[in-house]
Amino acid sequence: MASHATDTRHTDSRRTDQRHTAPWAAESRWATGWTAVAAVLMILGGIMAIFQGISALAGDDVFVATENFTYEFSLTGWGWLHLALGIVVALAGLALFTGALWARAVGIVLAGLGMVANFVWLPHAPVWAIVLIIVHGFIIWALCVPRHEAQA
């Protein structure tokens, strides 16, 4: 007598095969968790850098420069740099909401540039520059943290 064996496999519809998926790939195209926080911080930081650049361009009497600082640059030049960097950072923050990997890489690079720019900005606005250096460091951390929210 011939027996007919059937192979029944039970699959859990909630579980997906993670072997063929990159660990940073999100299941949706929208940013979630720390990426969304980094995006908001980049947008707000970019807008603030735009205002900072406009203030520097408005007049050299707005900011007080420390004498004999090692990294001494023209305040007008720094105004243009902060204005341009602020626009690019805000646009990159908007791009982070798409969840694209390239937007995260650009965000990390721009946050690093923002840290350097604010380090050199220390003699003009020391407390604000230190706060922005810390914020940019947090943005870099938030964009580099492993994407566990994609596995939910």
Side-chain angles (χ1 to χ4, degrees):
M1 186 172 207
S3 71
H4 191 168
T6 59
D7 185 19
T8 58
R9 296 180 189 195
H10 299 286
T11 59
D12 188 1
S13 61
R14 294 174 294 166
R15 189 172 165 214
T16 59
D17 190 8
Q18 298 291 329
R19 289 177 283 168
H20 301 292
T21 305
W24 58 81
E27 292 183 17
S28 70
R29 293 190 46 95
W30 291 97
T32 57
W34 291 118
T35 304
V37 172
V40 169
L41 285 176
M42 285 183 70
I43 292 168
L44 293 176
I47 292 169
M48 289 181 207
I50 290 169
F51 288 136
Q52 190 176 5
I54 291 171
S55 295
L57 292 172
D60 291 345
D61 58 344
V62 175
F63 295 100
V64 177
T66 305
E67 295 293 324
N68 299 324
F69 189 67
T70 305
Y71 306 107
E72 189 172 333
F73 296 100
S74 164
L75 187 59
T76 304
W78 276 110
W80 283 110
L81 179 72
H82 279 279
L83 183 65
L85 192 60
I87 291 170
V88 174
V89 167
L91 291 175
L94 288 172
L96 277 173
F97 281 115
T98 65
L101 180 62
W102 68 266
R104 286 184 34 221
V106 167
I108 292 167
V109 169
L110 288 175
L113 288 174
M115 289 178 84
V116 171
N118 282 295
F119 174 76
V120 181
W121 187 254
L122 276 170
H124 302 291
V127 174
W128 183 245
I130 290 170
V131 168
L132 286 180
I133 289 170
I134 293 168
V135 168
H136 287 300
F138 177 77
I139 289 170
I140 291 172
W141 173 82
L143 293 176
C144 291
V145 71
R147 303 284 157 234
H148 295 294
E149 66 264 7
Q151 298 172 1

